[in-house]
Amino acid sequence: MNLPNQLTVSRFFLTLVFVSILSTGWRLANSAGLLLFILAGITDYADGEIARRRNLETDFGRLMDPLVDKIMMAAAFICLVETGAFHAWVAITIISREFAITGLRLLAASKGTILPAERLGKHKTVWQIVMVIFFLLLLSIKELAGMGIGSAGAWWWFVWRYGGAVLIAMALGLTLYSGCGYLWKNRRLIMDGGR
């Protein structure tokens, strides 16, 4: 297994540790989760760069890299629902879009066609990552400052509520817009796939 694929596999295990830590009652769970999520993001960037620069792209990498990315993001969104960062329907909408596009790509692959990622989809991913880091960072600040549920400062609640709302709107809007656009652009494949 080459280095990019090892990084992909390591990101999967980092995601498992990330979920395990956030699910505990440990006092520094959110801070550790933030560091693990950032580390996983770095491995995501690194495996793609190394694979392209060293010409190490493989079928395993083409299949598993985006799948592990989706698992990582889905895990983060599901864990953040429990913190009250956003409602479950936000996470469900985003995760559903990701798996719908993955299904479309698998359908295309079964017909010998490769559907590349589009620029808008990459922007969507960036905003999703920023949103996750934003909430994990605020949770980390809160736990490092020793703020209890009722003792968070007014600034913290303002940033959490209104800053979070802006990021949720951006990530959700781009997720829906890019997903609908991608499905519409490839509607012929969907219609032909039902035959």
Side-chain angles (χ1 to χ4, degrees):
M1 184 176 288
N2 64 28
L3 180 57
N5 291 342
Q6 289 173 2
L7 288 171
T8 296
V9 172
S10 75
R11 188 162 65 260
F12 176 75
F13 286 106
L14 281 171
T15 300
L16 295 179
V17 176
F18 168 81
V19 171
S20 298
I21 286 178
L22 287 183
S23 300
T24 68
W26 182 39
R27 190 178 68 83
L28 298 176
N30 294 312
S31 300
L34 173 63
L35 293 175
L36 285 168
F37 187 82
I38 291 172
L39 180 59
I42 291 169
T43 67
D44 183 26
Y45 174 79
D47 68 18
E49 282 297 305
I50 293 169
R52 281 185 291 274
R53 289 186 182 183
R54 298 186 185 175
N55 197 25
L56 294 174
E57 294 179 334
T58 63
D59 290 338
F60 178 88
R62 278 187 284 271
L63 174 67
M64 293 305 294
D65 182 59
L67 183 60
V68 170
D69 290 348
K70 285 171 177 43
I71 291 169
M72 180 181 80
M73 293 306 298
F77 285 124
I78 291 167
C79 288
L80 283 171
V81 166
E82 192 174 337
T83 69
F86 39 77
H87 295 290
W89 69 264
V90 173
I92 292 167
T93 301
I94 291 173
I95 293 168
S96 296
R97 182 268 187 209
E98 298 305 323
F99 284 101
I101 298 303
T102 299
L104 180 63
R105 286 189 175 138
L106 289 172
L107 176 62
S110 72
K111 295 177 176 294
T113 304
I114 294 176
L115 297 180
E118 294 186 344
R119 182 169 298 204
L120 190 58
K122 292 179 181 178
H123 286 300
K124 169 269 307 175
T125 301
V126 168
W127 280 102
Q128 288 179 358
I129 290 170
V130 167
M131 185 174 88
V132 169
I133 290 174
F134 170 84
F135 284 114
L136 287 174
L137 179 61
L138 282 178
L139 290 167
S140 175
I141 290 170
K142 186 176 178 182
E143 73 185 6
L144 290 174
M147 293 187 284
I149 296 295
S151 63
W155 69 269
W156 191 92
W157 283 111
F158 180 84
V159 174
W160 174 271
R161 181 165 185 174
Y162 295 105
V166 169
L167 288 177
I168 291 167
M170 289 294 298
L172 194 56
L174 281 171
T175 295
L176 291 171
Y177 183 71
S178 64
C180 290
Y182 203 77
L183 291 170
W184 178 256
K185 182 178 178 181
N186 296 289
R187 63 191 181 280
R188 187 178 300 276
L189 181 65
I190 297 169
M191 296 164 92
D192 291 345
R195 295 177 185 171

